Every structure is written in structure tokens, then in C-alpha cells.
Amino acid sequence: MSPTRSDNLGPALVCLALLCGGGVAAWFLIEPALSVVAGQGYDTQRMVLYYSTLPRLVTALLAGAALAMSGALFQHILRNPLADSTTLGVSAGANLALVVVSLFVPGLLGAGRDVVALAGSAVAAAIVIGLGARRGFSPYSLVLSGLVLSLWCGGLAAILIYLNQRYLASLFIWGAGSLAQQSWTIPLSLAWKMTIVAMVCALVMRPLSLLDLGEAGSAALGVRLARLRIVVIACAVTLAAIVTSAVGVIGFIGLVAPTLARLSGARRPVQLIFWSPLIGAALLFFADSVLQLSAGGLGSFLPTGAVTAIFGSPLLLALLPRLKVRHRIQQAELPRRSRRRSAGVPLIIAVVSVLGLVAVSLFVGRGPGGWAVLSGEFFDDILALRAPKVFAALASGAMLGVAGSILQRLTGNEMASPEVLGISAGATFGVAIALFAIAPGFPGEFAFAVGGAISVLAIILLGSRRSNFAPERVLLAGIALSAMVDAVVGVLSSTGDPRAALLMRWMSGSTYLVNGTIAMSEVALGAALVAISLAARHWLDILPLGPAPSAAVGIPLAGSRLALFGLAGLMTAAATLTVGPLSFVGLMGPHFARELGLTRALPQMIGAALIGGGLMIAADFLGRTIAAPYQIPAGLVSALIGAPCLMLLLGKKR
């Protein structure tokens, strides 16, 4: 009995500490209203207490428990410690479904928001799980697919909100996870729905416990793995969907709570699934109580989902060195024909394609009479407006492609990219500080963006060096930092400051404000940084082989890695200033280059630069013409174009 008591003691202490901290903060919120009730009878503060404060606290407990149980179920059934409703794209799918239905088919909301959210979550889960099944449920293929799908759903939802701000403006704060309540309707609804799902989970608890024996061992004891996987995933998706429908997207709880339970001693599946919801409930209760107490009158307007990321990200980073991850990335081998293929033909095709895209983007457009080739008396004026945007997009896409190639080769992680590792988010944070603090021009914004990108890189490197830059450590650190930076930006945007609108427009990857000076600066920076990267090709060919071969040929390990990571950070910061942090070109460019058979460092970087630049030019052209006279930001269009293509490639790989 002692091992069981020891296993339960740690999670119990963690849960108790969080509940006590949240309870103290909640008491300071409740006590003034209680004193008024006792002295004066009926009062407005009593109504606020009964129908706003208390329902909000209960909602925090229920939503935290549901999200944590969802994450624990995902992690156990998929054998993936990185899985939760956020990293698998389930919450983003529900959010997109609600945005689309609210805009185009509002009548469906009468059938129930939960039904709409569940449909969106189910479609997202089916796509991600389907892609994962084709690769043996590799943990990293699952998370990669989930991150790509999450970005795609988030980008499309952002476009819809951006184009319909008058109708969907309130969805921004709600989508970031707002727990503000005006009645007991939502907590009571969450309670009975969670009870039904919990009863189903209780019925499959014994088969879940047998999964630790492995697929063969559990099957020998009568476990039908396929059926069990469907039931458990359905329960996890349902829990995430009902929470998203009720309060919006609250990230990180489903990842942090099971991690805390596991690190504090919960080892058996029953213990993990029992303690994770309790810790998740206490964690969200603590975060929301502290938010309301510290924000005062603004507590109802600040999204709690953003605050959970601000709390949870440093916590996960601190616990990361103690986390034991069973799975390592499964590197997909390139086909032999790709190994023998000359790099010349794919590069020539890429160069011709990029030149064609530049020509089309410069000289083709849509006017009042439809599609037309640029000519006539306004030729020079229109070309002067288009050319800076086209060449800035080309330079930015090329830098992101090369930065992604460097990061993937250095970390040995096919998911490494400026977007996934949080480097783009760091640059975003730097620009946000610049806008809200001193409002500088392009040089100042670039300096702040570089500072943010380098800071994120430094934190990732410091947190991962003890594990020799293991892919799972690097990925978790990137997810944590991205969530924290996005949360800070979300809090700034929800304050109503007019500068928040500028930040949101910039984050969408809009090239509207790019002029000749900015374009020339971007092209010059891109040419210089890409040239330096190409000069380091020998390092990038040898460093992935390991420390011993690199040291044997005289490469300074620490210095070369630091220089290359810093170079990737500089390119990310420069590119993010033009196309925003959401383009995903840094992940797609190297992947597409490898699909063309470009495996050596030099041709792969050149290919990634051409593909990245071409993607951004195409995105800028489509954003300018597809909904004319309205313009869709190039960064969001790039994510919407590239993410499905990348997911098709993932589906083809075994």
C-alpha cells in the first residue's frame, strides 16, 4: 500500500496548494459582498456575487477539470505526452466552426452551440488522427499535424473576424477564453454534460489500464484497441468541444495538468486520469481568481485563456527538465530515387516558377472590369505600389525558408521552424513592446523584434542543452513560449487600446504599409543574411552527424551552433516585420525542398528560399485579388494555402 499512497501524495499536495492559493484570492473577491449582504440585506453586490462571481468560479473549476481530463485521455490513448486539445487542433476546429456558423448560418446556433463545436472538433480530430494512423501514431507526426491544422483553423477564423469586425468583434475576446458569466446556465450545463462523459470514461478505465502492457499484451487480454481508441478519443474531443463552446479556447490546461500529475508521482493510468482533472480544476480556479483580484474592474474583460498561458508556460518550462518522454521522433527516410536525383533540375524549376510568380504578381490584377494586365497611363503608379510589396514578400519568404532549414538541420527535428519553436512569437512580442512603449519606426521595430527572437532562442537553448537538444524538449519549450507570448499579445489586444488594432493588423501579415524604403531594407537584409547562411553550408552538412564527427574536422561546436541559431533568429525577426508570425513558411519551405530531393545543406537552403519566397508572393497576389476590392493579409493567406499542402505531404509519408 505504501507505493500507492506515495504515488497519490504528490498530486494531492499539488492540488491542495493550487486550491488554497485560489481560495485565498477568491475570498478577497467574495468577502466584500458578504459583508454588505450581512449588514444591508438586498444589494447590487449580492446580485453580482450570486450571478457573476460565483458562477464564474464554478465554471473555472468545471472547465479546468474537463480540459485536463481531455488532455490526459489524449495523452494516454495516443501514447503521446505532448497531446492535448490545443496541440491536436481540436479546440481550434471547434472555434472555427463557431465563427463560420455565426457568420454564415446563424440559424444553426439554435440547435445548440455544443453541436456546432462538437462537429468542428470531430472533423479536426478525424483529420489529425487519420494522418497519425498512416504513420503508426508517431507522437511527432500527430503533434505536427495538429499544429498545422490549428494554425490553419486559427488563420481562417482570424480572416473572417478581420473582414467582418462589426459582426464578430466580440468573438475575439471570447475566442481567447473568457470565463465571465451572467447566470448559472453555463456551469450547470457543463456539469451534467461532464457527468455523462465521466461515466463513459469510468466504463473503459480497466481496458485503459491494460494499455501499459503494449498492444499485443492488451489484445491478448481481450482489449479491442481500435474500438477503445475511438471511444476514448470521442470522450476527449467531446470534453474539449463543450468547454470551447461555453467559454472559448483555453489552452495549456490539458497539457500542464497531466504533466504536473505525472511529475508529482501519478504513474498508473487510473491515477493519472483521476488526478489530472482535479489539478486542472485547481489550476484554472487559481489562475482566474488571481486574474479577477489583480485586474479589479477589468477582470471581466481580460481573457482567462490568455492568463492561463502566462501562468502555465513558465511552469511547464521549469518542469521540463524533469519530464520523461518515452517517444523520440521517427525520422522518415527519403526514397532512394530522391537520393540519386540531381539538385540542378528541381532548382531550375523553382527559379523559373518564382520568376513567373513575380511577373504575374507585378503585372496582373483585378480592376473594375475584372482581370487585366497592367498597362496604360497608370502603369508606373500602380507598379510603384505593387513592386515594394512583391519584393518584400519574396525576401521575407526566402529568409523564413532558410531559417527553417537551419533549425531543422541543427535540432534533427522535422517540426523545427521559426513558427513552431516560438521564434516568430518572440519577434511579435518585441514588436508589441515597441508599439506600446515607444512607437519607433522600422529600425526600432527591427531591433525590438531581433531582441524578442533572440531571447526566445536563448531560453530554448538553455532549457534544452542538458538533453542535447532532444526534439521533444525543444518542441515543448517552443509550444510553451509561443503560448505565453500569444497570451501577452491577447491581453494587450483586449484592453481596447487603439494600438492593439495596429498590432492585430501587423500580426495578420499585412503588406499594406510596405513602401519602397521598407522593401529595399527587407531585400538588403534578406540578401545579406541568406548569403551568410549559404556560406555556412559545410557546418550544416556536418553538424547533424553529431559532436564527434564535427569536432574531428575542427568545427567549434558551441560557437557554430550559437552563430547558426543567432542567424536563424535574425532572419526570423526581419521576415516577421513584413509578413507577421503566422505564415508557416519556415516549416513548409524545407519540407517541400526535401520532397524535391534536395538533401544537402546548400541545395536545400536554396530550394527552401525559393519555395518560401514563391509561397509568399503567391499569398500576397491571392490576398490582393481573390476578394477584390478587399485585401486579405498575405501572412494569413500563406498559412491557408500551405497548411493543407503540407498535411497532404504528411498523409503520403509512411
Side-chain angles (χ1 to χ4, degrees):
M1 294 296 293
S2 58
T4 302
R5 292 175 182 172
S6 176
D7 291 348
N8 290 325
L9 180 61
L13 292 177
V14 171
C15 185
L16 182 62
L18 290 171
L19 284 176
C20 289
V24 171
W27 172 252
F28 285 107
L29 294 172
I30 296 173
E31 192 273 335
L34 291 178
S35 61
V36 170
V37 170
Q40 301 179 11
Y42 180 84
D43 191 87
T44 303
Q45 285 189 317
R46 180 178 66 179
M47 302 298 293
V48 173
L49 172 65
Y50 287 166
Y51 295 102
S52 179
T53 304
L54 291 180
R56 176 168 179 162
L57 295 176
V58 174
T59 301
L61 289 168
L62 294 174
L67 291 172
M69 177 172 280
S70 176
L73 292 173
F74 272 130
Q75 292 177 21
H76 188 68
I77 195 65
L78 298 176
R79 317 300 294 163
N80 186 351
L82 306 179
D84 83 322
S85 59
T86 304
T87 58
L88 295 181
V90 174
S91 295
N95 184 46
L96 175 61
L98 289 168
V99 170
V100 170
V101 169
S102 298
L103 183 61
F104 297 108
V105 200
L108 288 180
L109 294 176
R113 294 171 58 90
D114 289 339
V115 176
V116 176
L118 185 57
S121 296
V123 172
I127 294 174
V128 173
I129 301 301
L131 292 174
R134 295 177 64 88
R135 303 186 68 184
F137 291 101
S138 164
Y140 288 91
S141 65
L142 278 172
V143 175
L144 176 58
S145 303
L147 289 173
V148 172
L149 184 64
S150 181
L151 180 70
W152 191 85
C153 293
L156 183 55
I159 286 178
L160 294 175
I161 294 176
Y162 187 81
L163 295 177
N164 300 274
Q165 295 184 19
R166 288 184 298 174
Y167 308 108
L168 301 178
S170 60
L171 284 179
F172 177 77
I173 295 178
W174 171 84
S178 176
L179 293 176
Q181 300 296 316
Q182 297 179 346
S183 69
W184 285 92
T185 302
I186 287 180
L188 292 176
S189 175
L190 280 176
W192 72 261
K193 294 169 186 174
M194 288 174 56
T195 301
I196 294 175
V197 178
M199 292 172 62
V200 176
C201 292
L203 295 176
V204 298
M205 192 58 62
R206 182 178 179 277
L208 274 177
S209 302
L210 297 177
L211 286 182
D212 281 345
L213 301 176
E215 293 189 12
S218 57
L221 294 175
V223 176
R224 298 183 179 180
L225 185 59
R227 182 182 299 178
L228 177 65
R229 186 172 282 144
I230 291 173
V231 172
V232 173
I233 290 176
C235 290
V237 168
T238 302
L239 289 170
I242 61 176
V243 172
T244 304
S245 170
V247 297
V249 179
I250 297 181
F252 239 73
I253 298 296
L255 190 62
V256 172
T259 300
L260 282 174
R262 193 178 295 111
L263 292 175
S264 59
R267 295 178 175 85
R268 295 185 302 163
V270 174
Q271 293 175 320
L272 185 64
I273 295 175
F274 175 77
W275 284 112
S276 292
L278 296 179
I279 293 176
L283 183 62
L284 189 55
F285 174 72
F286 172 78
D288 190 59
S289 300
V290 172
L291 170 66
Q292 292 187 73
L293 184 63
S294 58
L298 295 176
S300 298
F301 300 98
L302 295 179
T304 307
V307 177
T308 60
I310 295 175
F311 275 100
S313 300
L315 179 62
L316 186 58
L317 286 173
L319 297 174
L320 191 57
R322 299 183 56 193
L323 180 62
K324 295 181 180 180
V325 184
R326 301 179 183 179
H327 303 283
R328 305 258 325 163
I329 188 169
Q330 296 180 2
Q331 297 284 1
E333 295 185 1
L334 293 170
R336 293 186 179 181
R337 286 186 299 176
S338 297
R339 293 178 183 271
R340 294 197 298 263
R341 185 186 303 166
S342 172
V345 175
L347 289 179
I348 291 174
I349 295 175
V351 169
V352 173
S353 300
V354 170
L355 291 177
L357 286 170
V358 170
V360 170
S361 187
L362 286 175
F363 301 112
V364 178
R366 289 181 64 181
W371 291 95
V373 177
L374 183 60
S375 61
E377 59 178 324
F378 299 109
F379 180 90
D380 293 336
D381 295 332
I382 297 177
L383 189 63
L385 293 175
R386 289 182 184 174
K389 298 175 176 58
V390 171
F391 288 107
L394 173 62
S396 300
M399 284 189 285
L400 287 174
V402 175
S405 183
I406 290 174
L407 292 172
Q408 290 181 19
R409 297 184 76 88
L410 284 180
T411 61
N413 187 345
E414 64 179 3
M415 284 187 297
S417 75
E419 299 89 352
V420 175
L421 294 186
I423 302 173
S424 293
T428 302
F429 186 56
V431 173
I433 293 176
L435 287 175
F436 280 82
I438 59 177
F442 182 82
E445 290 179 359
F446 176 69
F448 275 86
V450 169
I454 297 298
S455 299
V456 169
L457 263 177
I459 295 173
I460 292 175
L461 295 179
L462 290 175
S464 306
R465 62 180 181 177
R466 294 181 61 183
S467 63
N468 293 321
F469 304 103
E472 63 272 7
R473 310 284 183 182
V474 175
L475 176 64
L476 265 179
I479 292 173
L481 290 170
S482 295
M484 183 170 62
V485 171
D486 290 342
V488 172
V489 173
V491 170
L492 292 175
S493 301
S494 65
T495 59
D497 193 305
R499 290 169 293 186
L502 294 176
L503 181 62
M504 287 298 297
R505 183 173 63 180
W506 174 83
M507 288 180 63
S508 67
S510 172
T511 57
Y512 302 156
L513 301 180
V514 174
N515 54 32
T517 303
I518 295 177
M520 291 177 61
S521 303
E522 197 77 14
V523 171
L525 280 171
L529 294 174
V530 170
I532 295 173
S533 302
L534 298 180
R537 60 187 181 275
H538 296 301
W539 285 0
L540 290 169
D541 276 327
I542 297 173
L543 284 173
L545 300 178
S550 303
V553 297
I555 294 179
L557 293 178
S560 60
R561 286 175 175 170
L562 182 61
L564 290 170
F565 275 119
L567 189 59
L570 287 172
M571 287 189 287
T572 300
T576 302
L577 287 177
T578 301
V579 297
L582 301 174
S583 66
F584 233 33
V585 169
L587 183 59
M588 293 184 293
H591 271 277
F592 290 153
R594 281 195 295 272
E595 286 294 317
L596 294 176
L598 306 176
T599 57
R600 296 291 299 272
L602 180 61
Q604 187 182 94
M605 284 192 291
I606 295 175
L610 291 170
I611 293 170
L615 283 172
M616 287 310 309
I617 293 174
D620 182 70
F621 175 74
L622 290 175
R624 173 165 49 89
T625 59
I626 197 171
Y630 301 101
Q631 295 190 26
I632 303 175
L636 293 179
V637 175
S638 173
L640 296 180
I641 294 173
C645 296
L646 184 57
M647 296 185 73
L648 288 175
L649 290 177
L650 289 172
K652 290 170 58 179
K653 292 182 178 181
R654 296 286 180 177

